[in-house]
Amino acid sequence: MNVIPAEVVTPAVLIDVDVLDRNIERMAASMLGRGLKLRPHVKTHKTLEIARKQLAAGAVGITVATIGEAEVFAADGVKDIFIAYPLWVEAPHADRLRALAAACRLAVGVDSAESATTMGRQLGADAGSIEVLIEVDSGHHRSGVLPSEVVEVAKAAAATGLTVSGVFTFPGHSYRPGMPTGAAGNENDALGLAAAALTGAGFEVTTISGGSTPTALISGESAATELRPGVYVFGDAQQLELERCSWDEIALTVAATVVSRHEAAGGNVRRVVLDSGSKILGSDRPDWATGFARLPEYPEAKVTALSEHHATVVWPDSSELPPLGTRLRVIPNHVCLTMNLVDQVTVVRGGTVVEQWAVAARGRNN
């Protein structure tokens, strides 16, 4: 998609549906070929239409980050949902979890004996209707217990009536250059040890859940039974720099307009300013990233700064500075943030607008 349709008012999120469909099919085929279940993380897109496409392509269910996200997709008829987050459940959460469990197969995350006990007590007689997966730290060092600690958490969960069905992890340290393969190995080792520990303690392990977009397509034996990538549907500038996707696999871009331009003179750097600031691109910039975003038609251009409504792009000497009013496509660094910043997206095919999709789960953060 190289053309921004004339009717699009910038800044706006564009989704090339042909690229999106290819990305969905490629991941589904890879999982099928490896004998793994696919449970995509829909916090990336938060969009009912895309979840329907993923399920139609063979996903066994979806992953979400919050109860609110789960409620949105369950209301659309999704029947198998995993909240991949170490929930702390109080009475209002328990009421919502009960309602979800009545509408779909529901699994939730937990990573401490205390939180498992609290969840079970809050759910009371309904505790057995919800499956629990214990989160394992496989090297990201965010949430999750060590593989040697899963049995303690599992016993606490079971003691309050919760159904312990397995373990999960997020190899988030894969989001650095040179790390995806090593992180995939760490993930495999941690999941294998944790699952074996549960089995040895008498628990029936039915789900071993892992995966991130940087690691999901790495071949080889896996201890997991399912993977939960999310960003793969769109790709983004981080995935480009990690070499986990190619330029022609980028399905989402932000349409932007050049609103200011400056040649190098009087100490100025050669630059343009686009109308796509942090309020649509998001402000994520890992310390290894070359900028805040990328321009597919001008790979050497550097997005060096973002304000709320300004994107400053240092322009390469090898290209003419674009005139005011030029419309350019921008690839966000972290596409999940972009989707949580807009109410709807414009769906295009071959440079023509075909649909508008609502970002249905936007803002459902609890």
Side-chain angles (χ1 to χ4, degrees), residues 41 63-66 81-87 107-109 135 142-143 168 209 228:
H41 209 316
T63 305
V64 298
T66 69
I81 300 176
F82 173 37
I83 304 174
Y85 193 86
L87 292 178
V108 303
E135 185 172 11
R142 188 174 64 180
S143 50
F168 77 105
S209 185
R228 310 184 317 277

Side-chain angles (χ1 to χ4, degrees), residues 154-304:
K155 287 181 176 178
T160 58
L162 293 165
T163 302
V164 178
S165 60
V167 294
F168 77 105
T169 193
F170 172 61
H173 54 310
S174 61
Y175 281 80
R176 294 193 70 84
M179 287 300 295
T181 299
N186 297 153
E187 170 191 56
N188 200 49
D189 292 344
L191 287 175
L193 289 169
L198 281 186
T199 300
F203 290 91
E204 182 181 0
V205 175
T206 59
T207 303
I208 305 172
S209 185
S212 64
T213 292
T215 60
L217 293 176
I218 294 175
S219 60
E221 293 294 321
S222 176
T225 60
E226 68 175 31
L227 298 183
R228 310 184 317 277
V231 175
Y232 77 94
V233 292
F234 295 143
D236 59 19
Q238 288 186 133
Q239 300 304 316
L240 280 173
E241 294 205 40
L242 292 170
E243 299 182 339
R244 307 316 300 167
C245 76
S246 59
W247 293 93
D248 62 0
E249 292 168 349
I250 298 293
L252 183 150
T253 55
V254 172
T257 299
V258 176
V259 296
S260 179
R261 67 192 297 274
H262 304 272
E263 292 286 1
N268 278 336
V269 295
R270 192 167 185 257
R271 70 193 187 278
V272 300
V273 175
L274 306 177
D275 61 356
S276 54
S278 63
K279 284 191 171 180
I280 194 164
L281 290 176
S283 57
D284 259 17
R285 182 183 179 180
D287 57 10
W288 47 265
T290 59
F292 287 94
R294 299 293 293 273
L295 276 62
E297 281 77 42
Y298 298 93
E300 301 307 313
K302 306 295 182 187
V303 182
T304 58

